[in-house]
Amino acid sequence: MLKLVSGKYRSRAIEVPPNVTVPTKSMVRTAVGNALMDELRGAEVLDLFAGSGALGFESLSRGAKHCVFVDASKEAIAVIKKNAETLKEKNCDILFMDYEMALSKFKNPFDIIYLDPPYKMKEVYENVPMEILDKGLLKDGGAIVLEYEGEITVNKEPFSSYREYSYGRTHVLILRK
């Protein structure tokens, strides 16, 4: 179990899939929410590699209009569905598929996209931000939020701005279009 940190679901507990994911720490979720505060109200959000759905539920808690949760783990999807039920959250879609299929499926762009894959999947950090731009899946003024440990390679050139944050071993990179 972990507790949501702010907004209408503040202090509400959600479940975490056992042995499947490493949930984003509350300190990091708070910082990301604060960094995106102005963009979250009314936002269309994509939580790719959703795990427990903590990042998406934090966004909905802070006023996002809708969130699409995507994960390739049956256990994670079951937990996200249970968490949505517990929170009585209806402004979401929960998709059981891998990220590549999801990115090929979407037609409408998002305001905020969370990329928090298993840390060993370094190719996601290298390839997916550009794929998102190439497919037109990020609105102008939108943000891609990458959470990672260690070193990653990301092409920051096509983005209008970026900010990097560190919280112990966890790093966050916010790329803005």
Side-chain angles (χ1 to χ4, degrees), residues 7-19:
K8 67 182 177 183
Y9 299 135
R10 182 176 185 206
S11 299
R12 299 278 304 272
I14 62 171
E15 291 191 28
V16 176
N19 307 317

Side-chain angles (χ1 to χ4, degrees), residues 82-149:
K82 187 170 185 181
N83 288 336
E85 233 174 70
T86 298
L87 297 170
K88 296 178 176 53
E89 182 58 67
K90 303 263 191 255
N91 296 320
C92 61
D93 292 309
I94 302 166
L95 306 176
F96 172 51
M97 62 181 64
D98 69 25
Y99 75 94
E100 291 164 322
M101 183 181 284
L103 291 175
S104 69
K105 175 183 177 12
F106 299 125
K107 303 293 181 235
N108 296 322
F110 295 91
D111 296 293
I112 297 168
I113 299 175
Y114 295 111
L115 285 181
D116 184 14
Y119 293 147
K120 67 181 183 226
M121 294 177 69
K122 298 289 187 189
E123 73 280 359
V124 170
Y125 301 108
E126 294 175 28
N127 302 326
V128 173
M130 287 306 302
E131 185 177 349
I132 287 168
L133 290 181
D134 291 345
K135 292 184 176 191
L137 296 177
L138 188 65
K139 292 180 183 176
D140 288 337
I144 301 174
V145 180
L146 292 81
E147 181 182 336
Y148 62 97
E149 285 187 4

Side-chain angles (χ1 to χ4, degrees), residues 62-78:
R62 287 179 178 242
K65 178 180 176 184
H66 187 263
C67 183
V68 177
F69 296 94
V70 175
D71 207 288
S73 160
K74 284 183 183 178
E75 294 88 352
I77 291 298

